[in-house]
Amino acid sequence: MTSNTRYQATLKVGDQSYPAYELRSLVYFVARRYGQSQAERLGSEIGLGLNELAKLNFVFVWQVDYAMAFLADLDQDPQIGARLGRPTG
């Protein structure tokens, strides 16, 4: 999935590709806020090792959706999405 992919009408929504940097941001946020073990657990549950994820250009939509649900289950903070999107520095 490292090459550009094109929209295919026959695929289900979860099978469509999605920019991997979005999922990397989410996983790195989980690691910073909840610890490396939680980030590794997330990677295991979506079938991607953290080193593998670092090299990908695209992932599946279902993996990003799963990661967002995983984050919501870790923290009941209604502003967690805003905290995720806030620049670090």
Side-chain angles (χ1 to χ4, degrees):
M1 234 196 316
T2 58
S3 64
N4 275 337
T5 58
R6 294 195 173 143
Y7 175 78
Q8 296 177 12
T10 58
L11 293 179
K12 295 180 177 158
V13 171
D15 294 337
Q16 292 291 348
S17 60
Y18 197 85
Y21 74 88
E22 296 279 3
L23 182 56
R24 278 193 297 274
S25 293
L26 219 161
V27 171
Y28 295 154
F29 178 82
V30 168
R32 280 192 314 272
R33 188 166 174 111
Y34 306 101
Q36 187 68 22
S37 64
Q38 289 292 354
E40 289 172 0
R41 186 176 130 220
L42 172 57
S44 173
E45 290 181 16
I46 61 173
L48 288 174
L50 301 180
N51 291 332
E52 180 184 9
L53 178 58
K55 297 174 186 171
L56 293 175
N57 292 323
F58 295 95
V59 295
F60 291 118
V61 168
W62 75 262
Q63 292 169 313
V64 178
D65 182 61
Y66 189 97
M68 291 169 64
F70 182 93
L71 177 58
D73 286 344
L74 283 177
D75 197 322
Q76 300 305 311
D77 181 355
Q79 295 182 354
I80 197 68
R83 296 184 202 297
L84 169 65
R86 183 176 50 207
T88 59

